[in-house]
Amino acid sequence: MDAVALYEEACTRGTALAGYYNRNVRVETDSGPVIVRIKAGDSDAMDLTLWPEAEVLEAIGPLVPSAPRLLYAGTEPDFQIHGFIAGRRTDAIAADGQPLPEIVLKGIEGFFAELLRVPLSTLPALPPDWPSDRDSRGFAERLLALVREIRGRGDEGLQGLYDELGVPRDPCGPLADRAREMAGRSFRLLHADIHRKNMILTDQGRVAFLDWELALWGDPVYDLADHLHKMSYTPSERRTVTEGWERSAPADCRAGWRADLDYYAAYEAVKSAVVDTARWGRRIATTQDGVARRTLSRELAEKLAAGCASWSTGTPRVPEPWEIEKAVDRWLVRGRRPGEIG
């Protein structure tokens, strides 16, 4: 396999499955298809990261059969080659809010069990300042620091949009108070990005889990909360998956977990409101279609409503979708130069 030649071929392809941090391109080889995974430009970091993805995949290969097989990793240029997984992505099987087949829910339970069994000794080294085992509060504070840092980014236009839409300069104050009461749990490997576009129901009837660039070593309750936040499950599915996680998790990972699952759910709502004010705001600013702008504005209004329930102790007013459109026009559209927001 000539990895560089496959990378160069992938770069010429106009079609790719593009995530926020990577592009995935199917390329044919003499021995069958592979996926060339290419780092996407200079995307702003919107998530906590710990290790290079290729190092994670290399480490977990023998222990997590539901992860992609790493065939090659290069640094200059930055790309990977993964084994191709034949099947259907779960968002094509059932859209958000629609029930998934039972086989997928069983696969998710099994995946959590795989993650919870991976020992730290097999993974890449942790940074010296990483929270120590069972320091769930320290882990939560890392997550809060990320949201605060994202809220402080951006030029005057983005900061003005945050202010006008009611996102506080410190949206994490009440959450930080709650984190001080968090129970200590044994740390485990977290995927930290399990959602419908990152799961494939394979032709063999298994579920494969993609996109490991956000993998962490930390509080396993966060992985469950992040997953529930991103899946838009039906109430019945949510119960099924939560009960499956409880069955899979050892006792030292479950101390005080129900209360702290609610905490992490609130965190995810706040993070989504902060991150998506920037993302959705930029999408609204560059969209000319009126219907699409209104749809995006309604979505952002819902995210802001969910977030403000945790950053405010009162009853703050959530802007209407039409007010969001006007705020975007004031702060992002008028002040930008061509190509500045994309």
Side-chain angles (χ1 to χ4, degrees):
M1 181 179 66
D2 186 338
V4 174
L6 292 174
Y7 165 78
E8 291 174 347
E9 181 178 348
C11 289
T12 67
R13 300 286 182 87
T15 57
L17 294 174
Y20 188 69
Y21 299 110
N22 293 278
R23 294 175 62 247
N24 299 304
V25 185
R26 173 176 170 163
V27 178
E28 301 296 328
T29 73
D30 292 340
S31 56
V34 297
I35 294 295
V36 179
R37 187 161 164 81
I38 304 170
K39 199 77 171 177
D42 296 323
S43 301
D44 288 341
M46 297 293 191
D47 299 280
L48 195 62
T49 57
L50 183 57
W51 301 298
E53 182 181 36
E55 292 184 15
V56 175
L57 291 176
E58 184 176 16
I60 67 174
L63 301 171
V64 185
S66 54
R69 187 161 62 100
L70 178 69
L71 303 178
Y72 178 87
T75 54
E76 293 184 6
D78 191 346
F79 74 100
Q80 303 168 52
I81 299 178
H82 294 179
F84 179 76
I85 301 171
R88 297 180 68 198
R89 234 172 47 179
T90 55
D91 65 315
I93 296 172
D96 284 356
Q98 299 300 311
L100 286 159
E102 183 179 359
I103 191 173
V104 174
L105 302 183
K106 288 291 186 184
I108 292 167
E109 179 179 345
F111 181 56
F112 277 127
E114 289 178 1
L115 291 171
L116 291 161
R117 288 194 296 264
V118 175
L120 178 59
S121 59
T122 65
L123 297 170
L126 295 172
D129 64 344
W130 194 253
S132 58
D133 189 41
R134 303 186 67 87
D135 184 11
S136 298
R137 173 181 170 182
F139 179 77
E141 288 172 347
R142 282 290 178 112
L143 295 172
L144 294 174
L146 170 70
V147 173
R148 286 169 165 146
E149 191 268 326
I150 293 171
R151 172 60 177 89
R153 286 183 203 159
D155 58 14
E156 180 183 350
L158 181 55
Q159 293 303 314
L161 182 64
Y162 275 130
D163 291 340
E164 184 161 341
L165 297 186
V167 181
R169 294 300 174 110
D170 179 7
C172 298
L175 285 175
D177 293 338
R178 290 176 62 183
R180 297 188 184 98
E181 306 301 321
M182 184 169 286
R185 283 171 289 275
S186 292
F187 282 11
R188 291 294 191 274
L189 175 63
L190 319 180
H191 181 283
D193 200 24
I194 312 168
H195 56 76
R196 292 174 197 249
K197 293 183 179 179
N198 280 349
M199 298 187 293
I200 292 178
L201 180 59
T202 73
D203 292 346
Q204 291 75 39
R206 298 179 296 104
V207 183
F209 296 84
L210 313 178
D211 292 9
W212 288 75
E213 69 263 46
L214 305 184
L216 300 169
W217 182 257
D219 185 347
V221 178
Y222 172 67
D223 216 11
L224 174 61
D226 178 75
H227 172 64
L228 295 175
H229 174 79
K230 292 174 177 175
M231 285 297 291
S232 299
Y233 278 133
T234 66
S236 173
E237 287 177 318
R238 185 183 179 92
R239 285 193 299 273
T240 297
V241 171
T242 302
E243 290 167 359
W245 180 91
E246 185 178 16
R247 283 191 296 269
S248 301
D252 58 346
C253 293
R254 288 187 277 109
W257 74 276
R258 290 187 182 276
D260 291 343
L261 181 65
D262 291 339
Y263 166 84
Y264 282 126
Y267 165 81
E268 285 295 310
V270 169
K271 181 191 174 193
S272 178
V274 172
V275 168
D276 291 334
T277 293
R279 286 182 177 171
W280 262 243
R282 288 167 179 153
R283 291 172 67 188
I284 295 166
T286 54
T287 299
Q288 302 301 316
D289 181 81
V291 174
R293 279 170 61 91
R294 283 188 290 276
T295 298
L296 291 167
S297 297
R298 281 195 298 271
E299 292 171 351
L300 181 52
E302 292 171 359
K303 294 170 186 289
L304 290 167
C308 75
S310 294
W311 67 52
S312 175
T313 55
T315 54
R317 179 181 176 277
V318 178
E320 297 290 337
W322 66 267
E323 294 175 303
I324 291 174
E325 284 191 63
K326 289 185 176 298
V328 167
D329 289 342
R330 275 192 293 275
W331 291 104
L332 295 186
V333 175
R334 293 180 185 177
R336 75 183 180 98
R337 294 184 295 275
E340 194 171 56
I341 297 174

